[in-house]
Amino acid sequence: MAVSPAERGGDMADKTVPVKVWDGWVRLFHWSLVLLVAVSYATAKARRIDWHMLSGSLALGLVLFRIAWGFVGSETARFAAFLAGPRAALHHFAALLRGEAEATPGHNPAGGWMVVLLLALLLAQGVTGLFSDDAELYRGPLADWAGYDASEVLSAWHQRIFDLLLIALALHVAAVATYRYAFGRRLVGPMVTGIAHLPADSAATRQPPRTGSGVLAGLLLGAAATLGVVLWRLALF
């Protein structure tokens, strides 16, 4: 029996092919940051401020690396590739509920704004930590530049922002779980392996996302790590 073109198109739509969507630098940033945030939380609770300052400084360096990579890095890592207006995010949610949302090679329009929110909170958390002074255990490496009164205010904001960060991280995890169990979209696996299985007829399978320069990424990451260590040493001495 002959197969109609529409039926052949349907068969293609049902098939998936592996596509590299995340480079190793984005994945290294993601999981390293997860570890450093956990260490920062644990060391603050244990009042191990020396280790807290190290993990926080390295986390700040990583955030600066990710922001830079969002402008000069791989295609899926660039802000221009995944940031869209609120209307696009609403359309994505509506299509998702109808089962019509197209699988994207990177962040979807809604996830892109969560990335920006998390980066903004992490950047604010790191910067306020540099100027904080709780007059007891912790004194940031740049506290003298702000003066005691401003440092006291920034110390309070350092704690408040972390509470907001925990809320945002909980929402992020809940969204990932919802995509997996309610909509059948796997988001964790690609962030581990870099590979996503996309529909065979999608644009990303015909033209995979462009990968950024490994040399440039290495230089940026090295500069970020160096900055983190320098800030930590300044805080100690």
Side-chain angles (χ1 to χ4, degrees):
M1 180 183 295
V3 179
S4 69
E7 290 174 323
R8 286 197 297 271
D11 290 340
M12 285 294 292
D14 291 337
K15 294 180 180 178
T16 61
V17 295
V19 178
K20 184 174 182 180
V21 296
W22 297 120
D23 61 47
W25 304 103
V26 168
R27 288 178 282 140
L28 177 63
F29 158 80
H30 184 277
W31 298 114
S32 297
L33 194 62
V34 169
L35 175 63
L36 287 173
V37 169
V39 170
S40 294
Y41 178 80
T43 51
K45 287 296 183 181
R47 300 171 73 86
R48 291 300 308 271
I49 301 303
D50 49 346
W51 291 105
H52 179 76
M53 289 188 293
L54 175 59
S55 61
S57 297
L58 291 176
L60 177 59
L62 275 179
V63 170
L64 294 175
F65 160 78
R66 182 62 183 90
I67 292 173
W69 199 237
F71 291 101
V72 300
S74 300
E75 184 176 347
T76 53
R78 296 197 178 203
F79 299 120
F82 59 78
L83 281 185
R87 182 176 297 179
L90 292 175
H91 286 170
H92 169 76
F93 280 129
L96 197 64
L97 292 172
R98 295 193 305 267
E100 299 173 358
E102 182 179 352
T104 56
H107 296 298
N108 61 56
W113 286 107
M114 177 57 76
V115 170
V116 171
L117 174 62
L118 289 171
L119 286 176
L121 288 173
L122 286 162
L123 181 63
Q125 179 73 6
V127 171
T128 54
L130 296 179
F131 295 93
S132 295
D133 183 357
D134 66 2
E136 182 182 356
L137 288 174
Y138 179 78
R139 183 173 178 80
L142 304 182
D144 287 339
W145 292 13
Y148 179 74
D149 290 339
S151 293
E152 192 174 28
V153 172
L154 289 171
S155 296
W157 274 107
H158 188 64
Q159 297 177 25
R160 293 190 189 110
I161 291 170
F162 191 74
D163 292 336
L164 295 175
L165 180 60
L166 289 178
I167 294 172
L169 288 172
L171 290 173
H172 176 60
V173 172
V176 170
T178 300
Y179 269 79
R180 172 65 183 91
Y181 295 108
F183 305 114
R185 302 289 179 87
R186 299 175 182 270
L187 303 181
V188 176
M191 191 55 72
V192 174
T193 65
I195 304 297
H197 291 268
L198 301 177
D201 60 347
S202 66
T205 60
R206 295 189 295 271
Q207 185 175 356
R210 181 189 59 80
T211 301
S213 167
V215 173
L216 179 58
L219 290 173
L220 289 173
L221 189 59
T226 300
L227 175 64
V229 173
V230 168
L231 290 173
W232 174 58
R233 299 290 293 179
L234 287 174
L236 293 179
F237 299 103

